[in-house]
Amino acid sequence: MSESIIWYLREFLRTEWIRKFLLAKTDPLVTPPYFKDYPTLTGKECTACYQCMMICPAPGAIAVLRHDDGWRPEIYPGHCIRCGLCVEACPEDVLQSGRVLEAQHRDRTGFRATFHLSIDREICMRCGNCCISCPVGREGEPDGAVLKIEKGGVQILNSDLCTGCKTCEVNCPNRGIRVARVVEGVQEAAA
Amino acid sequence: MKKTVDVSIPIGPMHPCWKEPIRLKCETIGERVLRTEVELGYMKKGIERIMRGRPWQEVMFLAERICGICSVIHNMVFIEAMEGISGIAVPPRAAYLRVVVNELDRMESHILANFSYCYTIEHETLAMYLLNVREIVLDQLERITGSRINTAYMIPGGVRFDITEEDAAALLAGLARVEEDVERYTRMFATSYLIALRSRGVGTMTREKAIEAHAVGPTGRASNVPECDLRLQHPTYQKLGFTPVCRTEGDNFARNMVRFDEVMQSISLIRQCIGQLPEGPIRGGGACTAGEITYQGEAPRGELTYYIKSDEYGRIIDITVRTPSIMNIEACTHHMINDVTSVADVTSTFISSDPCVACTER
Ligand code: SF4
Ligand code: SF4
């Protein structure tokens, strides 16, 4: 018993404890520079390549939208999980978050991806939502589209134009169209 | 008829000592608790079902969200399983960085577990001290990965960010602070009379019982089952010459001391990794392909198993996760809470086995 009290006295009479007790302050509420916050725009020009949408793991977190002065990605904070993958995937450095962009330039890291479209003919009900939602080749000649309703079904016209943005997958009411995105993390050798 | 049980006391699902909803039904005679029965099923998330049909870059984030405390190991085991399926090699620098982040995560998880034990036995001073020191560990995680909990640091074929000289120096400085503090807190824990009264000899589980119940992680190692540490089979840990921490008492005190000692061990492992960090790339590329694998890793709470089946584009067809806590919860209710002296000891014994309901029910 007495030993215990002596122990506690010793613990609470340490100079550090007394100093902290009298002078303790809450740490200032600052966000450290390395914190991966919601991605913000750097002001560089977006080329609407949809790589950010392709890699985003959270449903509905990012959308590349057209404004009067060009394309711009928009982040929806309620959906974004702040993973920073879109920052790494963007080839034009449009987005940035924490030190992700800096680290990427330093380490020369990036992602390489291939896409494979597949349509399950059994559950596809030919509503055409995928063809309408697909953002690729909207303004080019009519043959520049990836998907088209033809001969009573969805046809894949130009699978090499697919950017993997998975808009069709999201808009399909039946999960009839799937975009496989095979992503590899790569790094260029140091110069 | 002879009456054997006085009252059946439910603890939970909502209880100030529980971090997550779970219910224990205690059968008592007077103050003594004869048996307990566990009732799960209050927070099923169905994560494995959501994972199906998705590629690694989505599943990786879902895997982390199975458990909020030991998220890094879920990421690591999932990614290493995908690498095993696809035959992707990891550059040595990335393998060492993975160990650094994994051990930081283990430190914060163990410190949190000991915090909840101290909180359960009402030693709030030590509990708050421990939460304070956990903050330093989380800062180091944030410095390396950019996030505190769900770090998403590992990807197939490497890791996401390299560590710079300044970061490594700051990490070592932070570790020195943690080491100094944890050493003092370990001494406080080991020498305090109050803690000894509540912990020593309470909830004892022998080695035979631990093996019978398949106790894993610190719970098993506190009962002298060092071979349950799967880090012994991990190639990077083998290179670091890892030997598990182990104690023989098997009571609440031992379980907490094992965790304190593992924090110190993690600090030395991280120092070793930073010291021997090889130069070179951190990502090697490599696409995920079709295959099937069962892969295990050592989570802060014990053995974590992923069974994965994937299609030719690396999408998950089937996945099953077996997390460590379910074994420890069962071991705890069957072999530790046997004729304990009071209901208060039931909560503290249960918390000492570090149950994580979020990952048990996924
Ligand atoms: S940070 Fe991650 S979740 Fe958020 S928009 Fe970018 S890729 Fe999606
Ligand atoms: S990846 Fe970059 S350039 Fe491409 S659409 Fe997204 S923000 Fe624009």
Side-chain angles (χ1 to χ4, degrees), chain B residues 45 57 63 92 94 115 137 198-199 248 262 274 288 308 336 338:
Chain B
K45 300 196 280 286
Q57 69 266 27
F115 148 79
V137 182
R198 289 297 305 275
S199 319
T248 48
E262 285 193 1
I274 297 284
C288 294
I308 297 177
M336 293 176 204
N338 257 338

Side-chain angles (χ1 to χ4, degrees), chain A residues 3 7-8 11 14 17 32 34-36 57 83-84 88 99 106-107 110 116 178 180-181 183-185 187, chain B residues 53 56-58 61 123 129 142-143 146-147 151 160 162 164 167 184 188 193 281-283 285-287 313:
Chain A
E3 247 179 282
W7 192 91
Y8 275 99
E11 170 69 15
R14 282 182 309 128
W17 200 95
Y34 40 81
F35 175 65
K36 267 193 309 203
C83 66
E88 275 190 71
R99 286 196 306 194
R106 187 189 62 219
D107 310 335
H116 309 270
R178 308 299 308 273
R181 286 148 279 140
V183 179
E184 288 173 54
Q187 181 174 25
Chain B
W56 67 262
Q57 69 266 27
E58 293 178 13
F61 294 96
H123 198 309
Y129 280 3
E142 188 179 1
R143 187 182 294 276
S147 337
T151 56
R160 288 198 39 208
D162 208 342
T164 58
D167 286 352
R184 209 159 60 78
M188 275 171 78
Y193 292 97
I282 52 162
R283 287 186 195 181
Y313 301 130

Side-chain angles (χ1 to χ4, degrees), chain B residues 350-361:
Chain B
F350 187 66
I351 292 293
S352 81
S353 72
D354 199 3
C356 173
V357 186
C359 66
T360 305
E361 299 185 5

Side-chain angles (χ1 to χ4, degrees), chain A residues 46-52 64 73 90-92 94:
Chain A
C46 168
T47 56
C49 68
Y50 303 112
Q51 290 311 292
C52 47
V64 181
C90 177
E92 311 287 339
V94 176

Side-chain angles (χ1 to χ4, degrees), chain B residues 61-360:
Chain B
F61 294 96
L62 287 168
E64 275 184 339
R65 278 153 182 79
I66 287 178
C67 179
I69 312 168
C70 46
S71 57
V72 170
I73 189 71
H74 281 271
N75 184 351
M76 183 163 168
V77 172
F78 169 71
I79 293 295
E80 288 186 353
M82 289 309 282
E83 283 167 353
I85 286 180
S86 326
I88 300 173
V90 191
R93 189 178 175 89
Y96 275 77
L97 286 176
R98 282 182 182 185
V99 170
V100 170
V101 174
N102 187 21
E103 288 306 314
L104 278 175
D105 183 59
R106 189 180 312 277
M107 281 162 69
E108 61 96 2
S109 168
H110 280 354
I111 293 174
L112 187 77
N114 284 358
F115 148 79
S116 21
Y117 181 75
C118 293
Y119 195 73
T120 310
I121 60 169
E122 298 288 343
H123 198 309
E124 289 185 18
T125 316
L126 188 48
M128 289 306 149
Y129 280 3
L130 284 170
L131 267 197
N132 231 351
V133 67
R134 177 173 181 258
E135 213 54 27
I136 309 175
V137 182
L138 287 177
D139 281 348
Q140 306 316 314
L141 260 179
E142 188 179 1
R143 187 182 294 276
I144 300 178
T145 66
S147 337
R148 284 155 53 95
I149 300 289
N150 293 315
T151 56
Y153 188 61
M154 298 152 204
I155 56 172
V159 295
R160 288 198 39 208
F161 312 114
D162 208 342
I163 187 170
T164 58
E165 299 272 308
E166 305 97 75
D167 286 352
L171 170 64
L172 292 179
L175 286 184
R177 273 173 70 200
V178 177
E179 185 178 31
E180 190 188 315
D181 282 353
V182 171
E183 204 192 289
R184 209 159 60 78
Y185 302 153
T186 314
R187 227 174 326 119
M188 275 171 78
F189 190 89
T191 52
S192 159
Y193 292 97
L194 181 144
I195 293 175
L197 279 175
R198 289 297 305 275
S199 319
R200 284 188 199 256
V202 178
T204 313
M205 179 168 66
T206 59
R207 179 180 154 88
E208 289 68 42
K209 292 285 182 203
I211 290 173
E212 191 187 311
H214 292 278
V216 288
T219 309
R221 293 197 280 283
S223 298
N224 200 8
V225 193
E227 59 273 22
C228 70
D229 197 323
L230 285 168
R231 283 177 287 176
L232 286 169
Q233 284 150 35
H234 193 283
T236 319
Y237 284 97
Q238 280 170 349
K239 260 187 245 160
L240 293 168
F242 170 80
T243 41
V245 171
C246 176
R247 286 183 86 94
T248 48
E249 300 100 312
D251 52 5
N252 289 357
F253 179 77
R255 283 188 278 280
N256 284 283
M257 284 308 281
V258 163
R259 284 196 287 266
F260 273 126
D261 293 346
E262 285 193 1
V263 171
M264 300 308 268
Q265 187 191 36
S266 294
I267 293 177
S268 72
L269 278 172
I270 296 173
R271 286 204 178 122
Q272 237 178 312
C273 283
I274 297 284
Q276 308 173 1
L277 200 61
E279 288 299 320
I282 52 162
R283 287 186 195 181
C288 294
T289 53
E292 196 176 348
I293 199 170
T294 307
Y295 187 84
Q296 280 130 336
E298 176 76 12
R301 290 168 182 73
E303 172 194 306
L304 172 69
T305 311
Y306 269 65
Y307 162 77
I308 297 177
K309 197 169 162 195
S310 63
D311 72 2
E312 74 222 272
Y313 301 130
R315 285 182 297 197
I316 306 299
I317 297 174
D318 195 4
I319 184 162
T320 311
V321 185
R322 200 267 226 149
T323 53
S325 291
I326 185 69
M327 303 322 292
N328 287 345
I329 288 176
E330 290 294 320
C332 176
T333 47
H334 288 129
H335 300 298
M336 293 176 204
I337 311 178
N338 257 338
D339 202 13
V340 291
T341 37
S342 74
V343 175
D345 281 346
V346 171
T347 48
S348 67
T349 307
F350 187 66
I351 292 293
S352 81
S353 72
D354 199 3
C356 173
V357 186
C359 66
T360 305

Side-chain angles (χ1 to χ4, degrees), chain A residues 41 44-54 62-65 71-74 86-87 89-95:
Chain A
L41 301 182
K44 295 207 178 140
E45 201 178 332
C46 168
T47 56
C49 68
Y50 303 112
Q51 290 311 292
C52 47
M53 280 169 80
M54 180 277 294
I62 189 167
V64 181
L65 304 175
W71 295 82
R72 260 200 311 274
E74 185 135 356
C86 53
V87 179
C90 177
E92 311 287 339
D93 298 347
V94 176
L95 295 158

